[in-house]
Amino acid sequence: MLHALAVAGLAPCTRRQYLQMLRAFHGFVAERYGAQVRAGFGAAVGDGGLDRFNHVRHAGDDAVVGPPPSRERLQAFFSFVRSQVAVASDYRAMARDYALLRTPYHSAVRVSELVRLDQADVHPGLGPSGKLHVRFGKAANTSGPRPRWAPILEGLDRILAWYLADVRPLFPASAPLFCDDDGQALKAATVRDRLARLLDAEGVRWNERFTPHALRRACATHQYERGMDLIAVQQLLGHRHIASTMAYVKPSQKFVEDAWRRATDSAVRVLAS
């Protein structure tokens, strides 16, 4: 069954939802009709209904392995993109892409949430430096969208103010914050493609490339390294479970070693006192 779903082109998260529905149905049958099945067929309804090999890994498992791009790497990338804005043959598209890609790094929104932001979802007056109203936050299992307020961090308020005042009016008048030449909201695949093209133009090595999802992970990791509490990072990411947040936050080896050093020095001072 999984093979057929994969061949049909369904995403891993969609295939996993199919399995969850089958497991839920199997649990219902086992609970309600287990005795009748045993009496009629002489066999018990098995545990789970699916063998242990019939599963789908989380769609983010492959991505949430190594550390995200470093702060220095992203500073170099955004400096390159900013330098291209002034010389690009299509100024408005390059300027839009600059603001577009800065947004997930400084607010931790998912690419699926990023492309569904409207201009009206930018609220510069909320919080210390503004917030984004993520009205279509990623759903949990089969629930509906989970809206949240994403804080605007590290100067993104100034970038969005510039974009809304000077760049967005160059596109057709419409609701989406980031739109195409027709005023329609960008697709997630378009965001990934635009980033890939910019990385090609930057001419970096393969191990220095990254995805829009890595920008979200970088936001979480770098804010944690700056001192943000892990629970606050969880709220920033919009995670229901702290375990999901812990999988996203991948501090650099230097950060970890410095933390060990501080702990060791503190212990030595305690013992010496």
Side-chain angles (χ1 to χ4, degrees):
M1 182 191 73
L2 281 180
H3 176 72
L5 295 176
V7 170
L10 297 182
C13 59
T14 304
R15 303 201 300 268
R16 191 172 63 253
Q17 288 176 355
Y18 272 90
L19 293 184
Q20 289 171 343
M21 286 187 289
L22 284 174
R23 289 192 179 98
F25 176 72
H26 184 272
F28 166 76
V29 171
E31 182 72 21
R32 180 67 62 85
Y33 301 108
Q36 291 93 319
V37 170
R38 180 183 290 275
F41 298 94
V45 180
D47 182 22
L50 298 170
D51 63 63
R52 63 190 180 92
F53 297 105
N54 207 2
H55 70 281
V56 179
R57 297 170 62 189
H58 189 280
D61 285 349
D62 291 332
V64 186
V65 176
S70 67
R71 184 178 293 273
E72 294 73 21
R73 169 71 192 101
L74 292 180
Q75 286 175 342
F77 171 72
F78 287 125
S79 293
F80 168 76
V81 180
R82 188 168 58 246
S83 71
Q84 298 303 297
V85 171
V87 300
S89 58
D90 189 347
Y91 165 80
R92 65 175 188 171
M94 186 63 70
R96 177 204 60 198
D97 291 349
Y98 177 69
L100 171 74
L101 296 172
R102 291 296 293 254
T103 300
Y105 179 49
H106 300 305
S107 66
V109 295
R110 300 173 177 88
V111 65
S112 59
E113 300 165 344
L114 175 68
V115 297
R116 301 190 74 174
L117 290 173
D118 284 349
Q119 297 183 64
D121 293 326
V122 181
H123 295 264
L126 297 181
S129 57
K131 294 183 179 181
L132 297 174
H133 189 197
V134 182
R135 293 174 293 113
F136 297 96
K138 182 179 178 181
N141 296 328
T142 57
S143 70
R146 295 168 57 193
R148 72 180 189 280
W149 291 94
I152 295 173
L153 305 171
E154 296 192 85
L156 180 60
D157 56 332
R158 296 189 297 273
I159 294 172
L160 290 179
W162 159 75
Y163 170 75
L164 287 170
D166 297 343
V167 180
R168 185 60 180 83
L170 301 177
F171 289 90
S174 59
L177 179 60
F178 300 110
C179 68
D180 59 19
D181 292 343
D182 297 322
Q184 301 297 312
L186 294 178
K187 305 296 185 184
T190 303
V191 178
R192 299 185 184 96
D193 180 67
R194 299 295 295 185
L195 174 57
R197 289 173 180 269
L198 286 168
L199 290 169
D200 289 341
E202 190 185 13
V204 295
R205 295 174 295 182
W206 184 256
N207 63 351
E208 295 180 307
R209 298 176 71 91
F210 50 87
T211 64
H213 185 69
L215 292 173
R216 171 174 156 84
R217 292 182 55 226
C219 177
T221 297
H222 298 165
Q223 292 304 318
Y224 177 76
E225 291 179 337
R226 287 169 62 93
M228 184 179 286
D229 182 86
L230 193 61
I231 299 300
V233 176
Q234 178 188 6
Q235 297 298 313
L236 172 68
L237 292 169
H239 283 159
R240 174 171 293 182
H241 304 293
I242 193 67
S244 300
T245 305
M246 294 172 67
Y248 271 61
V249 175
K250 298 289 184 181
S252 66
Q253 188 62 33
K254 181 180 183 303
F255 176 87
V256 174
E257 291 175 354
D258 287 345
W260 290 340
R261 187 175 300 108
R262 289 192 298 271
T264 301
D265 293 344
S266 176
V268 169
R269 287 194 298 269
V270 170
L271 292 174
S273 61

